[in-house]
Amino acid sequence: MSTNVKDTRNSQPAPRRGRPKGDRAAKRTELLQAVIAVIAREGYAGASMRKVSQQAGCTTGAVTYYFANKEEMIIAVAESLFDQFDQILDGDDQQDVHALLHHWLDWSNISDTDTWLAIFQLLVHARHEPAFASIVRERYAALRSALAAVLERGQQEGSIRQDIPARVLSDQLCAMTDGWMMLMPIEPERFESPHGHTLITSALALIAPPSEQR
């Protein structure tokens, strides 16, 4: 056997191609926004890493630096969207339950149709991919649980109706925002101000104590 063959067992791995410069977190966020835009325009099937790189104005290597493959990229988008919901429910404005819920519903009523189109595409995709569906179920269950905890605290304070369990109210609010999510890209005028604000106010009225409703 030749002794000229280089032994690479103890060598360091080569650096990943496309290493970006600057703020990595900011660049990753920028790429996630590019993924959302591509999914909204092309659908899940058309959201290739090449198209994402074109949308972001970078090389495909820069995309693969952050996401090894398309599946990892899509999962990162789903996780980031759920993270935004979690940040709202874990926000500093914990003293006023109604203000916190208004903020959450208002985020659900955003006019960024790309975001909702992307979410809709991802949910459709989840029906056919068990691994991805498992992530959505896990994160959505955690979201409903966090929302139920906020509502339960409101019940203890007397600002949320107590005749319906907090977990049921949480399910109702989530189902309501699910409907908004699906229809907003199709009927955006329904969710524009002032009607969009009225929808949020009405949702809060539905979970208010019966005496306040009267």
Side-chain angles (χ1 to χ4, degrees), residues 50-100:
R50 179 180 60 82
K51 289 181 180 178
V52 170
S53 67
Q54 293 174 345
Q55 177 71 29
C58 64
T59 65
T60 304
V63 178
T64 57
Y65 177 80
Y66 290 93
F67 314 111
N69 50 48
K70 179 176 177 177
E71 180 182 20
E72 185 176 302
M73 182 176 69
I74 296 300
I75 289 175
V77 169
E79 297 278 13
S80 71
L81 291 171
F82 278 108
D83 286 345
Q84 293 181 53
F85 281 116
D86 291 344
Q87 288 172 6
I88 292 174
L89 294 178
D90 293 337
D92 295 331
D93 190 13
Q94 293 286 322
Q95 300 303 315
D96 188 338
V97 172
H98 272 258
L100 184 63

Side-chain angles (χ1 to χ4, degrees), residues 16-207:
R16 296 176 67 176
R17 297 179 60 187
R19 180 184 294 274
K21 298 180 180 180
D23 189 337
R24 290 181 59 188
K27 183 61 179 180
R28 189 175 189 275
T29 299
E30 179 184 337
L31 288 176
L32 290 175
Q33 289 301 315
V35 177
I36 289 173
V38 172
I39 293 175
R41 184 178 66 247
E42 307 283 348
Y44 171 80
S48 67
M49 301 183 82
R50 179 180 60 82
K51 289 181 180 178
V52 170
S53 67
Q54 293 174 345
Q55 177 71 29
C58 64
T59 65
T60 304
V63 178
T64 57
Y65 177 80
Y66 290 93
F67 314 111
N69 50 48
K70 179 176 177 177
E71 180 182 20
E72 185 176 302
M73 182 176 69
I74 296 300
I75 289 175
V77 169
E79 297 278 13
S80 71
L81 291 171
F82 278 108
D83 286 345
Q84 293 181 53
F85 281 116
D86 291 344
Q87 288 172 6
I88 292 174
L89 294 178
D90 293 337
D92 295 331
D93 190 13
Q94 293 286 322
Q95 300 303 315
D96 188 338
V97 172
H98 272 258
L100 184 63
L101 291 173
H102 193 286
H103 186 193
W104 179 71
L105 290 171
D106 192 41
W107 193 96
S108 303
N109 198 30
I110 61 174
S111 58
D112 180 6
T113 55
D114 274 2
T115 297
W116 294 129
L117 284 170
I119 292 175
F120 185 73
Q121 287 285 335
L122 292 178
L123 290 178
V124 171
H125 168 63
R127 295 180 56 192
H128 307 287
E129 295 288 345
F132 185 66
S134 177
I135 293 174
V136 173
R137 283 196 301 268
E138 180 181 340
R139 291 300 303 266
Y140 210 161
L143 171 64
R144 291 194 302 270
S145 179
L147 180 57
V150 171
L151 292 166
E152 185 174 4
R153 181 164 57 84
Q155 289 177 328
Q156 295 170 354
E157 296 171 354
S159 60
I160 301 295
R161 63 187 307 157
Q162 300 176 359
D163 57 331
I164 300 176
R167 60 181 177 80
V168 176
L169 292 177
S170 174
D171 261 342
Q172 289 177 331
L173 288 176
C174 286
M176 188 180 301
T177 55
D178 288 345
W180 292 352
M181 174 194 70
M182 289 188 294
L183 291 175
M184 191 179 299
I186 301 171
E187 301 178 282
E189 65 280 356
R190 285 182 55 196
F191 304 94
E192 295 174 353
S193 296
H195 187 63
H197 180 77
T198 302
L199 289 174
I200 296 173
T201 303
S202 299
L204 292 174
L206 292 173
I207 63 173

